[in-house]
Amino acid sequence: MAFARALSAMLLPLALGLAACGPVPVEQAERSCLRDAELAQRPRGEVAIGVGSGPGGTRTAGRVTLEVGSDYLAGRDPAQVFDRCVLNRSGQMPTRGLYQQPGWRG
């Protein structure tokens, strides 16, 4: 009996973890897959520059961030990337195409 309890205590987290990997609702997949489609369209980047002063004098700092998706490098169509992503995450095709999605900034 103690073995069965210990076994179920070990298997419960595993089962919960696997359940988290299951399909998500199609609407949720559509929202999260917009990012993949945006990265397939063009790279994203950010530049930050700052100036600060303190006891050691004035200092400048900078940061550049660039995010390039593999779909962009492969020349894939963002709409096809979106459809594939939604299908993979939800098990269903999108309810609307990429260009009809609220929030699409193509």
Side-chain angles (χ1 to χ4, degrees):
M1 187 68 164
F3 175 74
R5 244 185 271 140
L7 183 61
S8 71
M10 290 186 324
L11 291 179
L12 182 62
L14 178 63
L16 291 175
L18 290 175
C21 295
V24 298
V26 69
E27 295 82 12
Q28 181 181 344
E30 289 172 343
R31 285 190 303 273
S32 64
C33 289
L34 282 176
R35 178 85 175 143
D36 289 0
E38 288 173 358
L39 286 172
Q41 185 179 31
R42 64 181 166 268
R44 298 283 182 239
E46 177 182 308
V47 176
I49 300 173
V51 177
S53 62
T58 303
R59 295 183 184 177
T60 59
R63 180 182 73 226
V64 176
T65 305
L66 181 62
E67 187 175 4
V68 180
S70 61
D71 292 316
Y72 172 78
L73 294 174
R76 293 189 183 101
D77 177 23
Q80 291 176 346
V81 170
F82 177 77
D83 289 348
R84 185 185 67 232
C85 176
V86 172
L87 182 61
N88 288 341
R89 291 186 183 182
S90 71
Q92 301 176 41
M93 289 301 290
T95 59
R96 298 180 271 208
L98 173 64
Y99 306 114
Q100 288 78 41
Q101 288 293 322
W104 172 247
R105 298 174 298 224

